[in-house]
Amino acid sequence: MRRLVVASTLEAGNLSLPEDHAHYLRDVLRASLGEVLLVTDGAGSHASGRIVRLDKQAVELELDPPLYEPRDHIRVTLIQAVGKRDKMESVIRQSAELGAARLVPVLTARTVAEGSHKVERWRAIADDALRVAGGFHPTQVE
């Protein structure tokens, strides 16, 4: 079953997706009307949702009542020096897949980081890794 991480609180009923999620379902995954997805809010709640509207203007899901999956493991915070090129993206992806609760990138005296901080991109990578790994609790990237 395909998974989708949304920023809003899950409630039974209709959920209109933001444009980036709508584009992902419509144009990347080529989802079809009536397809069932597993939707999670990243806070432990998840629900089954069926696509009830799928066009160029909007994508809308009909959600079942959400279920809650409590976090019962140790909350790990990873403090990571920013690496060269795409090294940091790999660290974020793998730590999110393993279930790290928080990742704090730091600049050290020996850091050889290229370019500017990409915090928004890193958060998107962590959310994508959560979706792929099948978790319900996202890694917070600061």
Side-chain angles (χ1 to χ4, degrees):
M1 180 179 296
R2 293 182 172 167
R3 298 174 51 85
L4 188 66
V5 180
V6 295
S8 60
T9 304
L10 297 181
E11 296 177 3
N14 286 358
L15 173 68
S16 186
L17 296 179
E19 180 53 37
D20 57 336
H21 288 359
H23 164 73
Y24 177 72
L25 281 175
R26 181 182 55 238
D27 302 327
V28 177
L29 294 179
R30 298 178 189 243
S32 57
L33 196 62
E35 188 171 338
V36 177
L37 308 166
L38 182 63
V39 182
T40 181
D41 64 358
S45 294
H46 60 281
S48 180
R50 188 172 56 85
I51 300 174
V52 294
R53 180 178 177 196
L54 180 70
D55 54 38
K56 291 192 186 246
Q57 288 76 32
V59 174
E60 195 169 295
L61 304 175
E62 182 181 339
L63 296 179
D64 293 338
L67 303 171
Y68 181 72
E69 186 126 343
R71 182 182 283 240
D72 59 350
H73 62 281
I74 298 171
R75 295 180 49 89
V76 174
T77 297
L78 175 64
I79 299 173
Q80 173 69 40
V82 178
K84 289 194 265 185
R85 293 182 293 281
D86 62 348
K87 184 72 74 177
M88 189 66 181
E89 293 178 5
S90 295
V91 169
I92 291 168
R93 187 173 294 109
Q94 292 169 359
S95 62
E97 288 172 354
L98 290 172
R102 192 168 146 225
L103 189 133
V104 181
V106 295
L107 297 176
T108 65
R110 297 191 183 262
T111 297
V112 187
E114 298 171 355
S116 62
H117 300 294
K118 305 174 188 176
V119 177
E120 289 305 314
R121 174 161 171 68
W122 292 343
R123 287 181 182 142
I125 289 169
D127 286 347
D128 187 53
L130 173 75
R131 180 184 56 78
V132 170
F136 295 107
H137 300 281
T139 299
Q140 177 185 355
V141 179
E142 296 182 1

